[in-house]
Each structure stands twice: as structure tokens, then as C-alpha cells.
Amino acid sequence: MELIIFLVIGALAGFAAGLFGVGGGTIIVPLLFIVFTQMGYDADAIMHLALGTSLATIIVTSISSLMAHNKKGGVIWPVFKNLAPGMALGCFLGAGIAGQISGLYLQIVVGVFLLWVAYKMFFAGKKQAMNNANSASSGANYRNTTLPSKPKQLAAGGVIGIASAIFGIGGGSLTVPYLTRYNVVMQKAVGTSAACGLPIAVAGALGFMLFGMQKQVDVPNTIGFVHIYAFLGISIMSFFTAKLGAKVAHILSPQLLKKCFAVLLTVVGFYFLYKGLV
């Protein structure tokens, strides 16, 4: 029964990863939180387990998602090379920071963060939501944007990496708004975000494993703050459904995709606030 639950979570998370470029974390974290709670795990470790396991599964969903987006020319590789080093280092350090924060406080922080991102995405200016139709299919369209310098992109990657570990969401919730802020078309931002999810997920998963082992978590079938069975079940299913989500992302309009993304984050954000405050 547990394996079936993890497979269902993986199907939903994979589709979200491909559709929104968020690594599926916005789906995985709340659902794992519910499942681990019902399984009677240590309340102080549940949120950390959800975050660590989420990042571990994002390794697989990111590979599947970025391959699908790259086939459609949706990944801006020069930007990825500037962001990735900072993201990896930041996410590893962020895992250590998250390990020192109580599970209850993490719920509130994650909830507030997601609501803020949803607000910024839904009410973004028209010039962020609308780009020339040709830019969606042009492999070099990012050159028409005004992106920060390489050092600033590296620093931004570090901040995104730290936040990604604390929120367990693969970085898409920050990477996508960061890129669209500089007029990168939504499909390109989603594709690049999917690629950025890989270094974030690898570094974050290793960090949660290491720092979790130091905490000596008393939960079966885990390595630190990563649940092995949940990782396997979610990863198997999400690898396939991420490709479907990526195909849908390139069918929808940038405006519609951005609004759907915002609605999803709003629902999850209110859920965590409810659990953390009630």
C-alpha cells in the first residue's frame, strides 16, 4: 500500500516537474508530510524527511524534465552554467541550516514563501508575462534580455540554492521568477529551471543525508533525512510523467502557464500555514 502511495505521488510530482519546471517539490513535500504523519514517524523529523526525500527524487525528475525541454530548445545553457555552481554549494549549506530549524517553524516558513512567490508570479507585469511569439521558438532569444553579470548570477544561484534546501522544492519557485524578471520567456525560464534543478537536487540530497545521519534519525528505511522507499517509488513514476508535463508546457501560452503555476503554489502555501499555525 505504501509503495502504491509513493507511485501516485511520483506521477503527480513528475507531471508538475515537467509542466512548471519546479522539480515536483511543491507536490512531493506536502504529500510526503501527510504520508509520513499517518505512518507515525517522529514529529520533529517529518518535515525534514519530506524535504530531504523531495530533493533526492528531484534528481530523477530533473534529468527527465531537462531532457524533454532541451529537445524543444527550452534550456538556456550559458545561463545554467552561471547559476549552477552557486546553486550546488548553496543547497548543500542550506541542508545544514534546515537541519537546525524545527519542523513546525519550517512549515510556516515554507508556507509564507510559497504564497509570496505565487503573488509575484500571478501579478507580474505584462512585459514579464508576454514576449514576442518568435522568442518562444528561438534558441538565442535570451540575448534580447538584460541578464545580470556572471558574478551576480553566481551569487543569485547561491541564494536560490540555500532557499531550495530549506523549502525542498528544487529551485524552480525562485529560478523561474528570477529569469522572467529579466524578460526571459516563460517556456525558456521553465526549461532552464528544470536543468538547474539537477545540481540543486544532488547537492541538497547529499546534504540532508549527511546532516541527517549526524542527527541520528530514528526512522526505518532512511539514510539521514532521505526515505529510501519513498525515493524509489516516486522516482520510478516521476521519470515518465515529467516528459508528459514538459510537452504540455510547450502547448500552453506563457500567461496561462504562469497563472497555473501561481495557483498551485497558493494552494500548497495555505496548506503549510494551516498545519503550522493550527
Side-chain angles (χ1 to χ4, degrees), residues 126-264:
K126 289 185 178 180
K127 74 173 185 177
Q128 293 180 5
M130 301 179 64
N131 286 290
N132 188 282
N134 292 330
S135 67
S137 60
S138 171
N141 76 323
Y142 78 94
R143 298 184 187 280
N144 297 323
T145 67
T146 307
L147 289 167
S149 63
K150 289 184 179 180
K152 288 183 178 180
Q153 290 185 49
L154 181 65
V159 174
I160 292 173
I162 292 174
S164 298
I166 296 176
F167 306 135
I169 49 179
S173 297
L174 277 174
T175 307
V176 172
Y178 173 76
L179 293 176
T180 56
R181 176 185 178 185
Y182 296 102
N183 301 325
V184 175
V185 71
M186 186 62 176
Q187 277 84 350
K188 293 286 187 178
V190 168
T192 305
S193 173
C196 289
L198 184 56
I200 286 176
V202 172
L206 290 175
F208 272 101
M209 286 181 182
L210 176 62
F211 296 115
M213 287 189 287
Q214 293 178 350
K215 290 283 185 177
Q216 297 181 338
V217 181
D218 187 20
V219 176
N221 306 316
T222 61
I223 299 178
F225 286 130
V226 175
H227 193 287
I228 301 303
Y229 289 168
F231 163 73
L232 292 175
I234 294 173
S235 297
I236 291 172
M237 186 62 73
S238 63
F239 182 83
F240 299 102
T241 57
K243 296 179 180 179
L244 177 61
K247 290 181 180 179
V248 175
H250 285 269
I251 296 175
L252 299 176
S253 69
Q255 282 183 302
L256 178 59
L257 188 57
K258 183 172 289 187
K259 288 180 179 179
C260 290
F261 184 43
V263 170
L264 174 65

Side-chain angles (χ1 to χ4, degrees), residues 30-213:
L31 291 182
L32 282 182
F33 179 85
I34 295 173
V35 172
F36 291 158
T37 299
Q38 295 301 314
M39 293 173 70
Y41 289 168
D42 183 358
D44 292 334
I46 288 176
M47 194 63 185
H48 298 85
L49 280 170
L51 295 173
T53 305
S54 172
L55 284 168
T57 61
I58 291 171
I59 295 175
V60 178
T61 58
S62 291
I63 293 174
S64 177
S65 182
L66 77 86
M67 288 174 62
H69 282 289
N70 189 49
K71 286 182 179 179
K72 295 181 177 293
V75 180
I76 307 175
W77 289 110
V79 175
F80 166 81
K81 292 178 182 178
N82 293 336
L83 293 174
M87 287 178 166
L89 178 59
C91 198
F92 184 82
L93 296 176
I97 296 173
Q100 303 301 316
I101 302 176
S102 70
L104 184 63
Y105 185 66
L106 274 177
Q107 293 173 44
I108 297 173
V109 170
V110 171
V112 172
F113 167 76
L114 292 180
L115 289 176
W116 175 80
V117 173
Y119 173 82
K120 298 291 287 185
M121 291 293 289
F122 197 86
F123 295 102
K126 289 185 178 180
K127 74 173 185 177
Q128 293 180 5
M130 301 179 64
N131 286 290
N132 188 282
N134 292 330
S135 67
S137 60
S138 171
N141 76 323
Y142 78 94
R143 298 184 187 280
N144 297 323
T145 67
T146 307
L147 289 167
S149 63
K150 289 184 179 180
K152 288 183 178 180
Q153 290 185 49
L154 181 65
V159 174
I160 292 173
I162 292 174
S164 298
I166 296 176
F167 306 135
I169 49 179
S173 297
L174 277 174
T175 307
V176 172
Y178 173 76
L179 293 176
T180 56
R181 176 185 178 185
Y182 296 102
N183 301 325
V184 175
V185 71
M186 186 62 176
Q187 277 84 350
K188 293 286 187 178
V190 168
T192 305
S193 173
C196 289
L198 184 56
I200 286 176
V202 172
L206 290 175
F208 272 101
M209 286 181 182
L210 176 62
F211 296 115
M213 287 189 287

